[in-house]
C-alpha cells in the first residue's frame, strides 16, 4: 500500500525495462536488483493502442526465469483480456490496463484479481480521474501516464502533474489507501513534484535510472534524493 498513513510514506521504484540494455538484459536485471529496485516495469504494447511494440511475451518469460522481483506489467493494448491471460501464465504481481481501451473494465479488473494479480487502472494524460469512479473497489493501484504512452524520452504533459493531486484527493475521499504510480518523464527534476503531489510508485526510464548522464548507481542516488525532497514537501503539506 501507499504507506500514506505510516510515519514515513513509502515510495517504490519500478524501472522501465523498455529502457534497459536489450542486448544485456540479464546484467541489467542484476544491476537493478543490486540498487534495490522494488519491482520491474514492463510496457506491453500491441502497436495498435500505441504505435510501438518494445517488449514481447518471450522477453517477459525470459526475465521471469531469472528474477523474483515483482513484475509491474503495463498493458497498452486493445484486447486486454487476451493479454491479461497471457501475463498471468507467465507470472506477474501487478497488471494495469488502460481505461481508454477496456470495453468491460470492471470485468477485466476482476479477472486480473481472480488470476492472483493486483489490478490497476491506467489513465492517459487527457483522461480525468473520474473515469475510475465506479470501479474503485476493483483497484489495487492507479497508474497515471505523465506522458502520452508509447515511447521513452518524451516530455511531461504538464496537466498530468496536477492530476496526481486530483487523483490522490479522489482516492482519499473514497478512503482508499491504494498507491498511485506515475509513468513517463519521471525525471530527477519532476520526481519532487510528483512525490509531493502523491505519487507512490515511480516508473523510472531514460529520465532518471536509465539516464545517460550517469551510471545506475549515481542515478539511483539522485532519484532517492529527489524522493526525499518530495516526501518532505508532502509531509509538510499534510501538516
Ligand atoms: C512510456 C513508457 C515508460 C516511460 C519511459 O510509454 O511507459 O516506460 O515513459 O521513461 P522515460 O519517459 O523517462 O524515458
Ligand atoms: Zn509504462
Amino acid at each position: 500500500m501507499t504507506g500514506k498513513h505510516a510515519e514515513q510514506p513509502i515510495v517504490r521504484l519500478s524501472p522501465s525495462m523498455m529502457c534497459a540494455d536489450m542486448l544485456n538484459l540479464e546484467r541489467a536485471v542484476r544491476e537493478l536488483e543490486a540498487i534495490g529496485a522494488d519491482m520491474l516495469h514492463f510496457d506491453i504494447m500491441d502497436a495498435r493502442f500505441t504505435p510501438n511494440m518494445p517488449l514481447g511475451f518471450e522477453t517477459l518469460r525470459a526475465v521471469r526465469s531469472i528474477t523474483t522481483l515483482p513484475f509491474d506489467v503495463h498493458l497498452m493494448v486493445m484486447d486486454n483480456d487476451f493479454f491479461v491471460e497471457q501475463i498471468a501464465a507467465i507470472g506477474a504481481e501487478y497488471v494495469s490496463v488502460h481505461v481508454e481501451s477496456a470495453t468491460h473494465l470492471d470485468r477485466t479488473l476482476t479477472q486480473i484479481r481472480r488470476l492472483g494479480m493486483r489490478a490497476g487502472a491506467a489513465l492517459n494524460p487527457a483522461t480525468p480521474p473520474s473515469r475510475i469512479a465506479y470501479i474503485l473497489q476493483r483497484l489495487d493501484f492507479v497508474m497515471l501516464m505523465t506522458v502520452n504512452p508509447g515511447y521513452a524520452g518524451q516530455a511531461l504533459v504538464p496537466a498530468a502533474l496536477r492530476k496526481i493531486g486530483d487523483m490522490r484527493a479522489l482516492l482519499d475521499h473514497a478512503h482508499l489507501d491504494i498507491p498511485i504510480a506515475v509513468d513517463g518523464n519521471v525525471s530527477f527534476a519532476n520526481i519532487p513534484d510528483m512525490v509531493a503531489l502523491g505519487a507512490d510508485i515511480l516508473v523510472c526510464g531514460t529520465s532518471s535510472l536509465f539516464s545517460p548522464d550517469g551510471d545506475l548507481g549515481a542515478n539511483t542516488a539522485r532519484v532517492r534524493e529527489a524522493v526525499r525532497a518530495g516526501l518532505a514537501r508532502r509531509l509538510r503539506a499534510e501538516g
Side-chain angles (χ1 to χ4, degrees):
M1 291 299 110
T2 59
K4 180 175 175 304
H5 300 300
E7 283 59 51
Q8 180 65 11
I10 300 162
V11 175
R12 287 174 283 175
L13 304 185
S14 186
S16 176
M17 298 308 287
M18 69 181 274
C19 303
D21 178 354
M22 290 292 121
L23 295 178
N24 296 282
L25 212 43
E26 179 162 12
R27 188 180 68 193
V29 170
R30 297 296 173 237
E31 289 172 351
L32 291 167
E33 289 171 336
I35 59 104
D38 296 286
M39 56 191 86
L40 299 178
H41 185 85
F42 292 89
D43 291 305
I44 302 296
M45 305 178 201
D46 63 0
R48 286 178 58 213
F49 180 74
T50 52
N52 196 4
M53 188 183 282
L55 300 170
F57 295 137
E58 292 318 312
T59 305
L60 218 58
R61 216 184 306 276
V63 178
R64 182 76 287 172
S65 72
I66 65 162
T67 184
T68 57
L69 275 179
F71 279 16
D72 162 30
V73 176
H74 176 195
L75 293 180
M76 289 171 265
V77 301
M78 295 307 291
D79 186 347
N80 286 299
D81 294 345
F82 165 74
F83 279 84
V84 164
E85 295 283 346
Q86 301 300 311
I87 298 305
I90 294 169
E93 285 70 19
Y94 301 84
V95 175
S96 54
V97 295
H98 270 266
V99 299
E100 301 89 358
S101 72
T103 309
H104 303 288
L105 181 57
D106 182 280
R107 186 172 68 192
T108 299
L109 294 168
T110 304
Q111 177 198 16
I112 292 171
R113 281 179 160 177
R114 196 177 61 247
L115 290 165
M117 303 179 288
R118 292 188 180 89
L123 283 70
N124 282 336
T127 303
S130 59
R131 278 289 294 273
I132 66 168
Y134 295 101
I135 46 110
L136 290 172
Q137 300 313 318
R138 306 295 192 200
L139 294 177
D140 297 301
F141 67 104
V142 175
M143 168 84 67
L144 298 183
M145 292 306 298
T146 36
V147 296
N148 291 301
Y151 297 94
Q154 299 180 92
L156 177 82
V157 173
L161 199 57
R162 175 163 50 88
K163 187 163 65 168
I164 302 169
D166 295 346
M167 179 61 80
R168 188 71 264 159
L170 183 152
L171 295 173
D172 286 352
H173 181 71
H175 305 294
L176 265 183
D177 185 14
I178 61 172
I180 296 173
V182 289
D183 182 357
N185 197 211
V186 180
S187 66
F188 304 123
N190 291 328
I191 287 171
D193 288 339
M194 290 171 162
V195 170
L197 286 163
D200 307 293
I201 299 172
L202 305 179
V203 175
C204 296
T206 65
S207 312
S208 47
L209 288 182
F210 296 101
S211 165
D213 296 344
D215 64 22
L216 183 60
N219 290 344
T220 302
R222 290 181 68 185
V223 166
R224 298 212 186 276
E225 180 51 39
V227 166
R228 277 193 293 273
L231 283 176
R233 283 170 45 191
R234 187 196 298 185
L235 291 174
R236 275 199 303 276
E238 288 173 351

